[in-house]
Amino acid sequence: MELLRLGAVGEERPYLRSTDGTVYDLSSVTADIDGAFLASDGIARARAALDAGSLPVASAEGLRVGAPIAKPAAVVCIGQNYAAHAAESGAEPPKEPIVFFKHPNTVVGPYDEVLVPRGSTRTDWEVELAVVIGKTARYLSSDEEALACIAGYTVANDVSERAFQLEVSGGQWSKGKCCETFNPLGPALIPADEVDDPQNLDLKSWVNGEPRQDSNTRDMIFSVAALVRDLSQYMTLDPGDIVNTGTPEGVALSGRFPYLSPGDTVECEIQGLGRQKQTLGKA
């Protein structure tokens, strides 16, 4: 089962795609796929409606695919969470999770245009496993409690402007992470109970059709459960919040590849969660 938001920007509506590929209108269950939906056992209610045969079949043809979560209140990000990526960044693997934030309005659809910021010389790509919170996470004491707070998973491209992140800002990472359109998300929200093991998912990215990143989430320094548990000691995560869990090696920051320019395309894929593609434009 996949949860989708389809429609023009600001006019997205909720849909469900079943395992056989049929798309259903979910508006009889919820007005949108958001924090309130997740907090009220929305995924279970959607599954029950599907099983009961009460959802009308819909056509997704020609509809824009929006981000699978509406208006997240927070996008919390983890830096250098893959040892090989930390090494290519010139850093030692962190002993504690590195935390930064993206403005929630960076979240766009998985196929929307990504805008190269004005004055940018070092716009970069980062495929990441995104965690969507489904229950309030506050002072969690175990990995099991942390996993129970996760509604589902999706694909994120944590687009970054490295000069803004590391040079212009004096190391204030969020300045290079919060430019408009810098967090394409989706295409779908996959319920947590339908992902067998979040620590064994292949991640890949391509630029202009050429391979860039090729790794697996088992190479994370801090697991998904460990990240949510750790974050809950310092902040309260609410339903609908997003946690970007870090990117593997193979980005332009490594010096092995050129940075992005208008006209380039970026594709990001995670095993079982789908594939997204953006074309770069000018801000």
Side-chain angles (χ1 to χ4, degrees), residues 35 38 69 72-76 131-134 236-243:
L38 298 175
I69 296 296
V75 181
V76 186
V131 170
V132 180
I133 300 299
T236 299
L237 298 172
D238 292 322
D241 287 351
I242 296 165
V243 179

Side-chain angles (χ1 to χ4, degrees), residues 17-241:
R17 181 184 287 123
S18 66
T19 54
D20 67 3
T22 304
V23 175
Y24 298 89
D25 188 332
L26 199 57
S27 58
S28 62
V29 175
T30 183
D32 210 341
I33 300 172
D34 54 13
F37 166 76
L38 298 175
S40 60
D41 291 323
I43 291 178
R45 291 188 289 111
R47 184 176 285 131
L50 175 65
D51 292 343
S54 62
L55 298 177
V57 174
S59 173
E61 186 175 355
L63 292 178
R64 167 186 169 271
V65 181
I69 296 296
K71 299 179 180 178
V75 181
V76 186
C77 305
I78 307 300
Q80 299 179 356
N81 194 31
Y82 289 72
H85 174 58
E88 74 176 354
S89 304
E92 293 293 325
K95 294 180 173 58
E96 296 288 336
I98 296 172
V99 180
F100 62 93
F101 296 88
K102 302 194 87 151
H103 195 298
N105 68 12
T106 59
V107 175
V108 294
Y111 311 113
D112 289 348
E113 184 180 47
V114 167
L115 301 177
V116 176
R118 297 178 185 180
S120 169
T121 58
R122 300 175 65 188
T123 297
D124 209 345
W125 61 89
E126 295 188 2
V127 61
E128 304 203 8
L129 175 65
V131 170
V132 180
I133 300 299
K135 298 179 181 178
T136 301
R138 176 178 179 271
Y139 294 117
L140 303 174
S141 60
S142 68
D143 287 357
E144 290 73 23
E145 284 186 337
L147 290 172
C149 290
I150 296 173
Y153 302 93
T154 189
V155 184
N157 182 4
D158 175 18
V159 186
S160 309
E161 212 300 330
R162 303 301 189 184
F164 296 177
Q165 175 187 351
L166 302 171
E167 299 168 11
V168 175
S169 67
Q172 300 179 68
W173 281 25
S174 288
K175 285 189 176 181
K177 300 284 190 171
C178 287
C179 303
E180 58 183 330
T181 72
F182 263 29
N183 203 74
L185 196 70
L189 173 64
I190 309 301
D193 60 4
E194 297 190 16
V195 176
D196 290 338
D197 183 0
Q199 300 309 143
N200 188 23
L201 299 174
D202 293 332
L203 306 87
K204 297 181 180 181
S205 67
W206 299 260
V207 175
N208 298 327
E210 298 180 356
R212 291 294 185 260
Q213 296 169 280
D214 187 353
S215 187
N216 187 285
T217 55
R218 63 174 169 264
D219 294 326
M220 284 183 180
I221 298 170
F222 305 103
S223 69
V224 166
L227 290 174
V228 173
R229 176 176 50 78
D230 183 75
L231 289 171
S232 77
Q233 311 307 310
Y234 306 103
M235 65 187 78
T236 299
L237 298 172
D238 292 322
D241 287 351

